[in-house]
Amino acid sequence: MRAAHEMTAPVPLPGASVAFDVHRVREDFPLLRQQVHGQPLAYLDNAATSQKPQAVIDTLTRYYGEENSNVHRGVHLLSERATEAYEAARANVRRFLNAADTREIIFVRGTTEGINLVAQSYGRASITAGDEIIISWMEHHSNIVPWQMLCEEKGAVLRVVPINDHGEALLDEYERLLNPRTKFVALVHVSNALGTVLPLRQFLDLARARGITTLVDGAQAVPHQQVDVQELGCDFYAFSGHKMYGPTGIGVLYGRERILGQMPPWQGGGEMILSVSFTGTTYNHLPHRFEAGTPNIAGAIGLGAAIEYLEAIGIDRIGRHEQDLLQYATARLEDIPGLTLVGTAPEKSSLVSFTVAGIHPHDLGTVLDAEGIAVRTGHHCAMPVMEYFGVPATTRASFGLYNTRAEIDALHAALIQAIRMLR
Ligand SMILES: Cc1ncc(COP(=O)(O)O)c(C=O)c1O
């Protein structure tokens, strides 16, 4: 077993070029072996949070069992090791996103905190009365509320890109919204409520051509597809560790160094300073200026291990497997009378959101749970999406790298049974 601080670039699994062996992958996830209500668990709630592979669990256990210490502060061996492991995790994230430099990688609690950091630091310093901020109709609340709060404080205006009945954001409407007052664009990469994958390049290029700063909410993208922040050309990109097989309480904000370097700190405390006296404080260099206090050291190291795990399997292979699941699930569910898919964009990530006529999603979810099938029901923290489609809630099955067609068959059978029971 390697020590946590010895993380290096992953070696592809011997099978990286051969077919994806989902049964082999499932063995890496101890939680999946259990039964729920006497049924084998079918965990189809990956968009909410994903399960953790043994490699991540081992990394956390080893860190706390053998290496735990505070970072950046001590000269003793354990502190040096913890610092090395923490910074190695940052290097993993840099590679994973193809960011230009580790100074551009800020560890945060998750996507929500990453977006709030940008709104509170960049936003408060740069947005003034009358400025406009653009988001889309399909944002998660975490990419709506921080901008609403900022607009309220500054007298700025929030503009929303409309969507169509497939759940696609309308590029031409977005282009019409862009104007000299537009100062910021914040867009979701993949919608958690609909599965839509935004054609981000097109959206971001239009903003960049006008010198507008951009942020991408990548919470639902990074577990499923390769993300290259330099190729995308965004200024900020935020994601959460727990949705990509890493621990909870850790996430990443990527920021372009040129912009981060000019942003004021958003939280004050230890770690983010170079010197403090009662006459003034000198702030630390990037990225530490934005990591006040003792960070989630174990979480960051665990995230580094999750990245290595994904890279060793190959994110493209994972994506292909999940696309197969998406197509299979879509075909099976479309067959069920009274079931309506919510979100039918041609470019979708691996989730299906749906309603069944005459049955409340919560009732459906409860019956599915009794069959061992874990799905999410509700508004998915995307109330404007529910409003657009005229529904209070949907049922959502979201797939990860360890899901199988057999689990989708089980979902299908349980849905048929639930509909018979609840109608
Ligand atoms: C698209 C999207 N953005 C942001 C978030 C918020 O992530 P977190 O709660 O990990 O901060 C989620 C979580 O479901 C999400 O799906």
Side-chain angles (χ1 to χ4, degrees), residues 12-73:
L13 288 182
S17 60
V18 301
F20 184 84
D21 183 353
V22 66
H23 299 290
R24 162 69 197 82
V25 166
R26 287 179 73 81
E27 287 171 15
D28 294 337
F29 291 83
L31 183 138
L32 298 179
R33 290 175 209 140
Q34 69 186 281
Q35 298 217 323
V36 167
H37 304 304
Q39 307 283 345
L41 168 67
Y43 186 78
L44 305 179
D45 194 18
N46 294 284
T49 199
S50 59
Q51 300 308 335
K52 318 305 171 199
Q54 193 62 51
V56 169
I57 299 168
D58 285 347
T59 299
L60 294 175
T61 308
R62 191 169 54 236
Y63 173 71
Y64 280 124
E66 298 169 26
E67 300 180 339
N68 175 55
S69 186
N70 212 330
V71 290
H72 301 138
R73 289 179 195 175

Side-chain angles (χ1 to χ4, degrees), residues 47-48 110-113 115 140 142 188 190-192 217 219-220 240 242-243:
T111 312
T112 305
E113 190 172 74
I115 296 171
H140 186 280
S142 63
V188 72
V190 174
S191 157
N192 68 308
D217 167 357
Q220 299 293 345
S240 305
H242 69 98
K243 293 181 195 289

Side-chain angles (χ1 to χ4, degrees), residues 24 39 97 141 201 205-206 240 256 291 316 328 415:
R24 162 69 197 82
Q39 307 283 345
L97 294 178
H141 297 164
R201 271 298 295 274
D205 284 354
L206 286 170
S240 305
R256 210 186 273 280
E291 295 179 0
D316 289 340
Y328 187 69
L415 278 171

Side-chain angles (χ1 to χ4, degrees), residues 140-206:
H140 186 280
H141 297 164
S142 63
N143 203 26
I144 301 175
V145 184
W147 306 115
Q148 275 177 333
M149 289 162 65
L150 181 66
C151 285
E152 209 166 293
E153 182 183 324
K154 294 290 183 175
V157 181
L158 195 63
R159 300 271 182 224
V160 184
V161 182
I163 55 175
N164 64 18
D165 293 350
H166 294 291
E168 294 167 288
L170 303 177
L171 190 66
D172 49 347
E173 295 288 336
Y174 164 71
E175 201 168 355
R176 262 195 282 280
L177 287 178
L178 292 166
N179 73 71
R181 289 182 304 278
T182 313
K183 292 289 151 53
F184 202 87
V185 169
L187 294 169
V188 72
H189 196 164
V190 174
S191 157
N192 68 308
L194 301 165
T196 310
V197 181
L198 229 75
L200 259 191
R201 271 298 295 274
Q202 294 176 45
F203 278 82
L204 295 175
D205 284 354
L206 286 170

